[in-house]
C-alpha cells in the first residue's frame, strides 16, 4: 500500500515538473539562422536538436551572414551559433551598438580567416608567407579573367566585405574575384592541385580543408584594433584595412536580448554550448568530404560525441 502511494506521489511530482517545463520556455519557435558554410549549418542543427530534446520548437531560416545581426537585434531571428571575428565582428558590433543583440559567450575554438595558399604554391613563390611576396609573384596568380594581375579568389560576397579595400590600401597587384559558394572554392583548389598551379584564396580555420591540403595563411601586417575603421592604424597612415585579419580570432555565440526571458532553458543551453577547433573541423568534414546532408551530419555527430553536448543540456533543467 505505502509503496503504491509513494509511487503515485512520485508520478504527481513528475507531472508538476513537466508542467513547469512547458510553462518555462515559450512554445513559439526559436529561429535559428543558417548560412553558406558547412560547420555553421551543422552546428546550428546540433543546437536545434539539443533544444528539441528538451521540448522546444525550432525553425531554421537561411539568411545572409552579415544581415543576420540586424535580424537578431530585431527579434526576427533568435541566435547565431558562429560569430567569426574576422568576417563578422564589424556587423555584430554595429548591431550591438543599436541594441537588441548581445554576446552570449565564446566557443573554445580560436579562429582565423584570411588569404591562404596550398603548399605547392610556395614552390613558385618562395617569399611566402610574407605578404610582400604577393606582388613579386602576382603574375603566377594571373588568370584569363584577371589579365596581367594576380587573382585573389574570395569567398561569397557576404563573408568578407573588405578584400578590395585591402588590395587598394596595400597596393596589391591583384584582382578580387568572388566565388559563388564555398564548394566553388574547394573545386578550384582541387583543380589547381592536379596541375600544381599556384592559387591564393580565402580560407579559414577550423575547417576540413586543413586536413586535406597542407597550406599557410599569408602573413599581412598583424591585425590591430581599429585597423578597419581608423586610417592611422595599420601599415599606411591614410587607409583602412591595411593589416591582416585577427590571427587568433574569437568564435562567439550571439542572442536576441529577449531570448533569456522568452526561452530561459534554451538560453541556458546556449550559454553552455562550446565547441573546439577539431570538433568544428569534423562538422565541416562530414558535409564537405563525406557528402552528408547537414541534418544527417548533425545527428551522426551527436551520436558519436554525446559527452560533448549532453552535459550542456543536463546543466539546464526546466
Ligand atoms: C565565415 N567563414 C567562416 C566562412 O569565414
Amino acid at each position: 500500500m505505502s509503496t503504491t502511494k509513494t509511487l503515485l506521489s512520485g508520478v504527481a511530482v513528475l507531472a508538476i515538473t513537466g508542467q513547469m517545463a512547458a510553462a518555462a520556455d515559450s512554445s513559439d519557435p526559436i529561429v535559428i539562422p543558417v548560412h553558406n558554410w558547412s560547420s555553421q549549418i551543422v552546428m546550428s542543427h546540433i543546437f536545434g536538436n539539443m533544444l528539441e530534446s528538451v521540448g522546444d520548437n525550432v525553425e531554421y531560416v537561411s539568411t545572409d551572414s552579415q544581415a543576420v545581426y540586424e535580424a537578431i537585434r530585431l527579434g526576427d531571428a533568435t541566435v547565431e551559433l558562429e560569430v567569426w571575428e574576422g568576417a563578422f565582428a564589424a556587423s555584430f558590433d554595429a548591431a550591438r551598438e543599436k541594441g537588441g543583440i548581445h554576446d552570449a559567450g565564446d566557443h573554445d575554438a580560436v579562429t582565423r580567416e584570411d588569404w591562404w595558399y596550398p603548399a605547392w604554391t610556395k614552390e613558385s613563390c618562395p617569399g611566402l608567407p610574407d605578404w610582400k611576396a604577393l606582388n613579386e609573384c602576382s603574375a603566377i596568380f594571373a588568370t584569363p579573367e584577371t589579365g596581367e594581375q594576380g587573382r585573389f579568389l574570395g569567398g561569397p560576397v557576404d563573408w568578407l566585405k573588405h578584400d578590395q579595400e585591402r588590395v587598394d590600401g596595400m597596393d596589391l597587384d591583384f584582382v578580387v574575384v568572388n566565388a559563388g559558394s564555398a564548394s566553388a572554392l574547394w573545386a578550384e583548389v582541387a583543380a589547381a592541385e592536379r596541375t600544381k598551379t599556384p592559387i591564393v584564396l580565402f580560407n579559414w580555420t577550423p575547417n576540413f580543408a586543413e586536413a586535406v591540403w597542407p597550406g599557410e595563411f599569408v602573413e599581412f601586417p598583424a591585425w590591430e584594433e581599429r585597423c578597419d575603421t581608423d586610417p592611422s592604424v595599420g601599415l599606411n597612415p591614410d587607409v583602412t584595412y591595411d593589416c591582416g585579419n585577427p590571427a587568433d580570432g574569437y568564435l562567439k555565440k550571439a542572442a536576441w536580448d529577449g531570448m533569456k526571458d522568452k526561452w530561459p532553458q534554451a538560453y541556458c543551453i546556449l550559454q553552455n554550448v562550446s565547441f573546439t577547433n577539431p570538433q568544428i573541423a569534423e562538422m565541416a568534414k562530414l558535409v564537405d568530404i563525406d557528402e552528408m546532408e547537414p541534418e544527417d551530419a548533425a545527428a551522426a555527430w551527436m551520436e558519436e560525441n554525446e559527452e560533448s553536448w549532453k552535459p550542456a543540456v543536463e546543466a539546464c533543467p526546466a
Side-chain angles (χ1 to χ4, degrees):
M1 265 316 237
S2 73
T3 311
T4 310
K5 205 174 163 197
T6 311
L7 266 179
L8 277 175
S9 57
V11 169
V13 168
L14 273 179
I16 289 164
T17 316
Q19 261 175 16
M20 280 167 57
D25 272 10
S26 166
S27 61
D28 289 352
I30 293 164
V31 178
I32 304 177
V34 289
H35 309 305
N36 49 359
W37 66 96
S38 300
S39 69
Q40 197 273 349
I41 306 173
V42 174
M43 190 191 295
S44 295
H45 280 89
I46 291 170
F47 180 65
N49 291 344
M50 290 165 71
L51 300 190
E52 284 180 338
S53 79
V54 299
D56 282 330
N57 291 312
V58 306
E59 188 179 299
Y60 301 96
V61 290
S62 255
T63 75
D64 178 285
S65 61
Q66 301 284 348
V68 70
Y69 299 99
E70 186 67 10
I72 293 173
R73 187 178 86 73
L74 299 171
D76 295 336
T78 316
V79 291
E80 169 61 53
L81 269 297
E82 287 194 6
V83 186
W84 291 65
E85 182 171 7
F88 308 121
S91 293
F92 181 38
D93 291 347
R96 271 197 295 183
E97 230 155 80
K98 292 193 216 167
I101 180 173
H102 64 274
D103 177 347
D106 287 274
H107 288 281
D108 181 72
V110 176
T111 64
R112 186 169 186 180
E113 307 166 85
D114 222 321
W115 292 32
W116 177 95
Y117 54 88
W120 64 82
T121 299
K122 211 167 160 174
E123 287 160 26
S124 24
C125 190
L128 288 171
D130 187 340
W131 70 275
K132 292 189 212 83
L134 288 173
N135 276 356
E136 290 158 21
C137 306
S138 60
I140 66 169
F141 297 103
T143 66
E145 202 177 358
T146 63
E148 304 273 282
Q149 294 182 292
R151 177 186 69 162
F152 169 68
L153 182 62
V157 287
D158 61 318
W159 293 352
L160 272 199
K161 296 294 193 190
H162 53 258
D163 287 318
Q164 190 62 52
E165 281 100 315
R166 183 191 278 165
V167 164
D168 296 342
M170 299 185 70
D171 270 326
L172 297 172
D173 196 17
F174 278 75
V175 175
V176 176
V177 177
N178 287 100
S181 65
S183 50
L185 292 176
W186 316 137
E188 292 260 5
V189 179
E193 183 179 28
R194 287 193 280 277
T195 49
K196 298 290 186 275
T197 303
I199 183 170
V200 59
L201 67 150
F202 180 76
N203 196 357
W204 61 93
T205 184
N207 193 359
F208 80 92
E210 51 216 283
V212 180
W213 298 293
E216 292 172 325
F217 287 101
V218 174
E219 296 294 346
F220 288 104
W223 161 259
E224 296 171 71
E225 284 304 324
R226 302 192 323 283
C227 176
D228 52 345
T229 52
D230 181 348
S232 73
V233 176
L235 181 74
N236 297 319
D238 46 9
V239 292
T240 53
Y241 288 111
D242 44 345
C243 62
N245 286 326
D248 49 0
Y250 66 62
L251 185 67
K252 285 184 180 297
K253 303 156 286 177
W256 173 52
D257 285 354
M259 182 183 184
K260 54 180 169 304
D261 293 327
K262 188 165 180 182
W263 299 281
Q265 190 178 13
Y267 186 73
C268 172
I269 294 170
L270 176 69
Q271 286 181 298
N272 287 340
V273 163
S274 172
F275 295 117
T276 65
N277 287 52
Q279 289 173 334
I280 293 166
E282 172 72 12
M283 292 173 200
K285 172 195 169 278
L286 292 172
V287 173
D288 290 326
I289 298 183
D290 301 346
E291 299 186 343
M292 297 177 83
E293 291 301 321
E295 294 83 351
D296 299 336
W301 192 90
M302 292 175 85
E303 173 114 19
E304 284 292 308
N305 296 276
E306 222 165 63
E307 74 291 350
S308 302
W309 62 269
K310 241 191 186 149
V313 174
E314 285 166 353
C316 297

